[in-house]
Amino acid sequence: MTDRAAQPAHGTSRRGLTRRGLLGVAGAVGVAGAAGAGGYAIAEASDEAPDHGATVPFHGAHQAGIATPAQDRLVFAAFDLLTDDVAQVRELFQIWTEAAERLTAGQAVGPLAPSDGEPPEDTGEAHGLPPARLTVTFGIGPSFFERDGEDRLGLAHRRPAALRRLGALPGDQLDPERSDGDLCVQACSNDPQVAFHAVRNLARLGRGVVVLRWTQLGFGRTSTTSRSQDTPRNLMGFKDGTNNLRAEEAERLDRHVWVAPDEPQRWMRGGSYLVARRIRMLIESWDRAAIDEQERVIGRRKISGAPIGRQDEFDPVDLRARGGDGLPLIGDTAHIRLASPDTTKGIELLRRGYSFTDGIDPRTGQLDAGLFFLAYQRDPHRQFAALQRRLGTADALNEYIKHTGSAVFAIPGGIGRGRWLAQDLFA
Amino acid sequence: MTDRAAQPAHGTSRRGLTRRGLLGVAGAVGVAGAAGAGGYAIAEASDEAPDHGATVPFHGAHQAGIATPAQDRLVFAAFDLLTDDVAQVRELFQIWTEAAERLTAGQAVGPLAPSDGEPPEDTGEAHGLPPARLTVTFGIGPSFFERDGEDRLGLAHRRPAALRRLGALPGDQLDPERSDGDLCVQACSNDPQVAFHAVRNLARLGRGVVVLRWTQLGFGRTSTTSRSQDTPRNLMGFKDGTNNLRAEEAERLDRHVWVAPDEPQRWMRGGSYLVARRIRMLIESWDRAAIDEQERVIGRRKISGAPIGRQDEFDPVDLRARGGDGLPLIGDTAHIRLASPDTTKGIELLRRGYSFTDGIDPRTGQLDAGLFFLAYQRDPHRQFAALQRRLGTADALNEYIKHTGSAVFAIPGGIGRGRWLAQDLFA
């Protein structure tokens, strides 16, 4: 066991993370800033097998937790602002940055047992646990900039053009209590207690400035974001993410995921856009479907993951292949046909989804379970929304799923050492 | 990756688990029965470090998942019967037994891709995953025997005396939708996807006979049930389970956990009673409490886990020790004083709790999180209920928790090879 909080526990560390200590934070960040931004250590991270002791670098050209090999567990939280005072928000971003630096390095956010009789600054449940590749990724929703038509923080001129709500999409059955949000935090780790601890402590540090809007626990990754990872199965029992973008594909990531270097909003350069969709699977209906129907809906074989008509999971998908009866092997409404870049004129997304289960649906007694779909992209309207307009009307999968939550967030660019989240947003 | 379902996938295996195939099951069970019950391999299991590939034996004198070193993740499900036909229930118990045998051995419950155009018998999301020490533990609630005063299955004469609802206890704020149940399944594994898969497939096999009543996901164990395990921390940040009963303590387990060999109901010999309590922690209040208050409430130091006044987590608790001021070091209302066997005239429980988080409380915006407390014992009324009557009134911890769900289940004795769950209940 690591001694995660030995320093803060003895009360000798800087008490920078509480709001009373903000000036201390800002000063320290300034001093540490000399080291510069540094590159995002993608090759290093992607080559290592999942390891509970390992850390993923927090600083870099892009935020970690996007093109980082997907960790096994997720705790996701959306927050709403309680203030229209931009100074308070800037302060929060500074506090959250320093906290995330500490958490991802396996440290407590502050003393567990302060000597001055105050409440612990860290809640302690991760004390002794290695970080298990924890990443903390921050995002900003459209309502951060504008609520009820109002420029609430005076930052409307800093809003990037692509940050708009997705609007109604076919197949939506959205629950407002599981949708939207002014801010988001995605905590991924191979240890769910570490991810929970991160979100809980960030929520606590934000008390009075933000309040939790919704959260989502993901118990198993359904995507592969690195060539070093096997393809996991989703709750339909199918391999998911076979043709996902990979951390090693820098050129494709630049084209499809990272905001361009000439983006007018400097704080978004090297950033991305996250679309989060809570996709409930109607698993009882799915489970009653014959295997042929399931494979027809997806367009792949269930056990091997191979495209229909091929042998191996990674065999290329040939949408023109026909069977002996002259009909397409992969049907017109098969999910992989409609989602294929060949069909969509090149739309690609970096998917980092997680399986969830949230108890039972009290109306039906059936499991409320499915896929919490997280997709990163350069433009959520030209990518996810365009794709979903097609899938939501034609995809054979629609009979077995419904989208019950939706949110879009701008993901600011990577945070250099000594800098803080979206710093140029406030410049 | 193991080839979990290679056999059934090729359609050559016996199709015993669907209800259409029941006669096949019963026959096969009879044939396999020659091997006899066999002992529960406790020493073997407890000496091994958590290992995703490892299996825990299903058969034995006691059900696995009780005095088994606690796995990291939990999926728990309570079911209600949809039938009053005892033959259907007996059939379900046979089907569930064979399914659990397969699942805990890392096998699918049936073909993933049947050749006859039928739906897959196994839902497939655990295909390729090792069992990660999966255990499946079954229980029977009081309402199984009697509902609305009626002997619904004609088995009232087989009901053990100790299987009664707990009744109102101090501190209860119970949600009926998270309480009670005719049957329960506890699935524990180091891989949550494996545990989810088990519960989902058991629910599916029971379709038409049982329906899910409630479920609970536990993301991190909070108990230590073997000397081979470190003590984890609960969401209050304190080590939990320091003085728990241990798998290695056969004599204490016989006295406190296992139903006596002279129990009149034969099907309960070697069994136990499970009390499940969903304990919501008011973590925002807790997080605002000073460290001294937190330690006073628990009676232990937060970081070390040592009893107040001692140095080490495992130092014995001395309830008579006084400080320089003449006052008890461990206060009159401290949790460990009130829960101590010295105070309770020897009450002990085998705890197998898990931390949970179920999103936010929509009324408050605070995390709905806490401890899903599972306790095994010989008599739930003389043990858990007697303890909770004391704790629920006097425990300083009450300010920071509330019990929001409650259930009690009789846990039938271990299942010998070739036999099935609670077989003597139907004899």
Side-chain angles (χ1 to χ4, degrees), chain B residues 94-111:
Chain B
Q94 293 170 329
I95 289 170
W96 272 6
T97 301
E98 196 191 353
E101 287 169 350
R102 298 186 65 97
L103 290 164
T104 55
Q107 298 166 348
V109 298

Side-chain angles (χ1 to χ4, degrees), chain A residues 224-242:
Chain A
T224 304
T225 57
S226 162
R227 294 196 184 114
S228 65
Q229 298 186 298
D230 288 328
T231 314
R233 292 179 186 274
N234 62 28
L235 296 187
M236 291 183 158
F238 277 74
K239 293 189 179 188
D240 200 332
T242 298

Side-chain angles (χ1 to χ4, degrees), chain A residues 285-369:
Chain A
S285 302
W286 180 256
D287 289 349
R288 281 196 288 266
I291 183 68
D292 299 344
E293 157 79 356
Q294 292 186 0
E295 294 183 338
R296 188 185 65 73
V297 165
I298 302 297
R300 288 186 180 274
R301 296 296 178 201
K302 190 165 187 178
I303 292 180
S304 67
I308 291 176
R310 303 302 299 265
Q311 291 302 310
D312 182 75
E313 177 192 350
F314 294 101
D315 285 343
V317 177
D318 179 359
L319 296 175
R320 284 161 305 189
R322 290 175 183 272
D325 55 5
L327 295 172
L329 286 173
I330 295 169
D332 288 343
T333 62
H335 180 70
I336 66 165
R337 175 181 292 276
L338 294 169
S340 163
D342 292 342
T343 306
T344 61
K345 303 196 178 89
I347 293 176
E348 301 206 45
L349 304 167
L350 175 69
R351 286 165 282 155
R352 281 180 69 88
Y354 286 85
S355 293
F356 71 82
T357 179
D358 291 329
I360 62 171
D361 182 334
R363 294 163 306 175
T364 61
Q366 298 189 343
L367 285 165
D368 183 356

